[in-house]
Amino acid sequence: MAFKKSAVPFSGTPEQEEKLKAVIAEHKDDPGALMPILQKAQDIYGYLPIEVQTMIADAMEIPLEKVYGVVTFYAQFSINPKGQYKISVCLGTACYVKGSGDIFNKLQEKLGIGSGEITPDGKFSLDACRCIGACGLAPVLTVNEDVYGRLTVDDVDKILEKYN
Amino acid sequence: MVNIKINGVDYSVPEGSTILEAARTAGIKIPTLCYLKDINAIGACRICVVEVKGARSLVASCVYPVNEGMEVFTNTPKVIESRKTTLELILSNHKKECLSCVRSGSCELQELCNEYGVEENRFEGENPAVELDDSAMHMTRDNSKCILCRRCVAACGVTQGIGVIGANERGFATQIASPFDMGLADTACVSCGQCIVACPTGALTEKDDTQKVLDAIADPDKFVVVQAAPAVRASLGEAFDLPVGTNVEGKMIAAMRRLGFDKVFDTNFSADLTIMEEAHEFLDRVQNGGTLPMITSCSPGWIRYCENYFPEFIPNLSTCKSPQQMFGAVVKTYYAQKLGKNPEDIVSVSVMPCTAKKYEINRDDQSAAGIPDLDITITTRELSRLIKKTGIMFNDLPDEECDSPLGTGTGAAVIFGATGGVMEAALRTAVWKLTGEKADSPIEFKDVRGVEGIKEATYNVGGKEVKVAVASGLANAKALLKKVKAGEADYHFIEIMACPGGCVNGGGQIILPASVKNFTDIRAERAKVLYDIDSANKMRCSHENPDVKAVYDEFFGEPNSHKAHEVLHTSYKAQKLYR
């Protein structure tokens, strides 16, 4: 099986670890403590890499798989950080019927990463999102705060070039 | 008791029982897939649905408690249709290679599909390619045959308290796997195989080494010897439709001889040898201030667990190799010398109730003759497969006896296969030794018998109080070790077996369906076989074994001698949980 470790090396700081420890200490004995701990851990680190999940599992004395199972169950958690350029492709109904699926596939192919992943250089991350309220421009994608609309598959190369 | 009606007939059933249990007492088998008694009652698979009068929809009988006046219908057209559709949906993304699947004939899904006359390809949906996890030495996971019942997850997480597998992702993407999809070999898996015996389908299987055995037997230049562990004779018959709890010792030996092994020996021999070493090691630790409590080292699943999770107890572990490895070591040193053979020309095979043995033969410090002590280890299941493949009609075989000189075992040896057995066997010899080697030394130590997860007892041995404890199943082992660590218990001697009930319920034994396991304690039934063999044996104590005496006279000198240490003992080291 392919080991799904984040492509970007972990760069957590001692300060972040202290914060995480405080959060775990605060919630450890609550019933259902894992969810709030994971949410706060993601606030601290921005994502939940294996290093952070291992710290949580060890401190809570539960198997790492239990943590990973919850993290992958909920869409709100990410095991990868966001890139310098965060690409979101709208796969909402209007964009999808206008062909955003193909655009999304093209981006996966060009960047060599899947949904929720990040390029090894940390430059681009790719996510699918639901409606961003710009259906008139469908299909739509955003790169950080920039919005690109009325796209075709051929536009993908030009957009990526702008950020290279 | 509460009064209920099942299919129009009145029954009085115990309060608090589920509909599934109540129906069973009424002689009705409601089918199940995900339910495993005590560890997995999640009502997820929907195969056990029944109609309850007044209920809005069908209910899952495995988790639905009975109440006074309840009317249950287990076989209405609605129920049958629902179960059938569920099966057809499960099949929609199931890898249907039933003709060659190793679980064909023992697959719970296959049996149900057959009973319900399902349409095999009624639903055809997406069948995403699933990667095989064959990273571990002892097993393979093929999720294309997984039905997501989570029985393996419960076996690993609840029974064993390990939890290296679980459900990742969600919805259609859900897969049972390890964290971050790492291979099982990179996790803290201890190779116990309890997940395999929990699996209703062919998703989890041991690595099959039967061809290696056939190749070795067919090689005229190799001298192939085989040993079978005590617990194998208590389960093997189940593969040939014999009732649970049938002793097939004689037929097992006959079958191995007909398979063409040059010599058929018995791990009972080296279990006795283990006791000689281990009892003396224990007495030495007690008398000379060694690390106590001493903990047994026969179970490789337990050894790996200790190295993973409780490395601080490594000094407590007996340095004795397991009986399998002692046997292998004796074959390639003492026995090779006796035969005048080069140990390289001997292929040493074992039949074990255990999948962790496949891991154990590859461990470090298990090569007394400079080459691995053991060459091939197969499970009880693989032996049954070999017997079937070679056309040996098992039930018609005569009872035969093992070859000499490594084929003799005492009653103390055969009970190794049940939880508490090693403890009892060690006590028989230790008490005899400490109380002046008298003929009327006590034989039976019944407090340490039985399927209970943790057992404790105190014995007066030669005027000294000896506190012992026995744990089986690693979740129980964890609880016991935590107690010792916290200073809440001061045992002298602890026996730990990785599998609940000991080797009789090992991960390599014949797989029985949940419909049997949920209603019969197979641990107790199989253990009874071993205790019966023990009480029928004229020799009940390891120190009485003439083959063991001979090996000390001719080779080792005495227990725990320098030579014995070189050949029969090993070492351990702390392991990282995830690599």
Side-chain angles (χ1 to χ4, degrees), chain A residues 73, chain B residues 93 143 146 148 150 166-176:
Chain A
F73 184 89
Chain B
N93 70 343
N143 273 346
C146 172
L148 299 171
R150 290 159 172 80
N168 295 343
E169 308 293 335
R170 76 161 154 187
F172 194 68
T174 307
Q175 295 275 317
I176 308 299

Side-chain angles (χ1 to χ4, degrees), chain B residues 142-369:
Chain B
D142 182 356
N143 273 346
S144 62
K145 295 180 188 169
C146 172
I147 60 166
L148 299 171
C149 68
R150 290 159 172 80
R151 277 161 48 169
C152 59
V153 177
C156 187
V158 181
T159 307
Q160 301 297 57
I162 295 174
V164 290
I165 46 171
N168 295 343
E169 308 293 335
R170 76 161 154 187
F172 194 68
T174 307
Q175 295 275 317
I176 308 299
S178 299
F180 292 85
D181 283 356
M182 59 178 88
L184 200 56
D186 294 327
T187 71
C189 169
V190 302
S191 317
C192 71
Q194 284 297 313
C195 55
I196 304 174
V197 287
C199 183
T201 72
L204 303 180
T205 51
E206 65 284 346
K207 288 244 170 96
D208 189 299
D209 291 312
T210 53
Q211 192 55 46
K212 287 186 196 164
V213 174
L214 293 172
D215 291 347
I217 289 172
D219 185 341
D221 297 331
K222 297 289 181 194
F223 189 78
V224 190
V225 304
V226 67
Q227 53 164 317
V232 176
R233 66 207 72 193
S235 169
L236 181 63
E238 293 152 8
F240 302 95
D241 300 324
L242 296 171
V244 181
T246 305
N247 171 16
V248 295
E249 183 175 79
K251 291 188 194 315
M252 172 188 81
I253 295 164
M256 292 194 293
R257 195 163 279 136
R258 277 154 187 72
L259 279 168
F261 290 104
D262 292 300
K263 290 288 173 189
V264 177
F265 293 139
D266 201 327
T267 312
N268 280 349
F269 159 79
S270 54
D272 280 328
L273 188 59
T274 304
I275 287 303
M276 295 306 285
E277 290 297 314
E278 199 157 340
H280 283 86
E281 182 185 0
F282 176 62
L283 294 178
D284 180 59
R285 288 193 189 203
V286 171
Q287 286 159 354
N288 298 315
T291 309
L292 290 174
M294 188 173 91
I295 312 180
T296 58
S297 57
C298 303
S299 164
W302 147 242
I303 291 298
R304 180 62 195 268
Y305 181 81
C306 182
E307 291 180 329
N308 281 351
Y309 291 94
F310 288 95
E312 63 272 30
F313 281 103
I314 286 177
N316 298 71
L317 290 175
S318 162
T319 57
C320 288
K321 286 180 181 173
S322 71
Q324 163 181 279
Q325 296 299 118
M326 280 203 187
F327 198 102
V330 167
V331 162
K332 293 203 178 171
T333 56
Y334 165 76
Y335 187 61
Q337 209 175 308
K338 216 174 158 73
L339 286 177
K341 275 195 181 295
N342 181 348
E344 306 255 3
D345 294 333
I346 299 176
V347 178
S348 191
V349 180
S350 72
V351 184
M352 292 285 139
C354 181
T355 49
K357 294 285 170 191
K358 291 181 191 283
Y359 150 74
E360 187 183 38
I361 64 170
N362 294 298
R363 277 181 68 95
D364 291 340
D365 200 8
Q366 303 276 358
S367 43

Side-chain angles (χ1 to χ4, degrees), chain B residues 411-433:
Chain B
V414 79
I415 59 173
F416 262 58
T419 168
V422 177
M423 178 60 71
E424 184 168 346
L427 286 171
R428 288 179 189 177
T429 288
V431 171
W432 169 79
K433 189 89 195 158

Side-chain angles (χ1 to χ4, degrees), chain A residues 1-6 48-51 53-54 57-58 61-76 79, chain B residues 130-133 141 143 161-171 175-183 478 482 577-579:
Chain A
M1 291 205 169
F3 184 29
K4 282 196 185 142
K5 196 178 171 187
S6 177
L48 297 169
I50 190 167
E51 292 82 359
Q53 291 189 36
T54 303
D58 290 349
E61 294 177 62
I62 56 174
L64 178 60
E65 168 55 38
K66 202 151 217 163
V67 179
Y68 184 75
V70 172
V71 167
T72 54
F73 184 89
Y74 293 102
Q76 61 176 288
I79 61 171
Chain B
V130 178
E131 239 181 292
L132 218 62
D133 181 1
R141 166 179 288 279
N143 273 346
I162 295 174
V164 290
I165 46 171
N168 295 343
E169 308 293 335
R170 76 161 154 187
Q175 295 275 317
I176 308 299
S178 299
F180 292 85
D181 283 356
M182 59 178 88
K478 185 198 275 180
K482 278 189 164 172
L577 284 190
Y578 294 93
R579 259 152 283 173

